[in-house]
Amino acid sequence: MAEKVLTANRLSDGIAVWLDAAGQWNEKLQEAFVARHAEAVAALEATGKQALADNLVVDVNVIDVEERNGRLHPLRLRERIRAEGPTMAYAEGHGFADPDFIAA
């Protein structure tokens, strides 16, 4: 089974967040809790459903990640972009994603 993390968008501002080991929504993928077995994935799904019901987050998803050189790397491009930011600069003060991280 692939390693998985729980991600969502924070309802208050739309920022992509990941659930960490303390049960908090964190803006850094690298601090996300990694589920490595079915029971942990089920716990993530239940936590995500409750956070959605509590109006803390929206677009809740369990996503596949793999660890590369000690860093979490989402398998889908969409999730890599959500984790690292846009693929191009779009507004003053906002950088863009590391091309090596986004590369498929």
Side-chain angles (χ1 to χ4, degrees), residues 37-87:
H37 54 80
E39 293 84 6
V41 173
L44 285 181
E45 290 171 342
T47 300
K49 286 180 185 177
Q50 187 61 53
L52 179 64
D54 291 343
N55 291 320
L56 300 175
V57 293
V58 295
D59 193 21
V60 180
N61 292 289
V62 174
I63 64 164
D64 294 333
V65 295
E66 65 182 4
E67 195 168 338
R68 295 184 193 165
N69 300 320
R71 286 183 45 89
L72 294 176
H73 189 84
L75 298 185
R76 291 186 58 214
L77 177 60
R78 173 187 189 265
E79 301 306 332
R80 291 194 300 268
I81 292 169
R82 289 179 73 245
E84 287 292 311
T87 56

Side-chain angles (χ1 to χ4, degrees), residues 86 88-96:
M88 59 181 257
Y90 67 96
E92 188 174 329
H94 295 276
F96 52 94

Side-chain angles (χ1 to χ4, degrees), residues 2-34:
E3 297 173 325
K4 298 183 183 293
V5 297
L6 184 64
T7 187
N9 290 86
R10 196 168 40 215
L11 189 60
S12 62
D13 59 11
I15 298 293
V17 290
W18 291 264
L19 190 71
D20 66 20
Q24 301 298 310
W25 292 101
N26 192 305
E27 293 181 18
K28 298 177 183 172
L29 167 65
Q30 300 309 314
E31 296 181 18
F33 171 77
V34 180

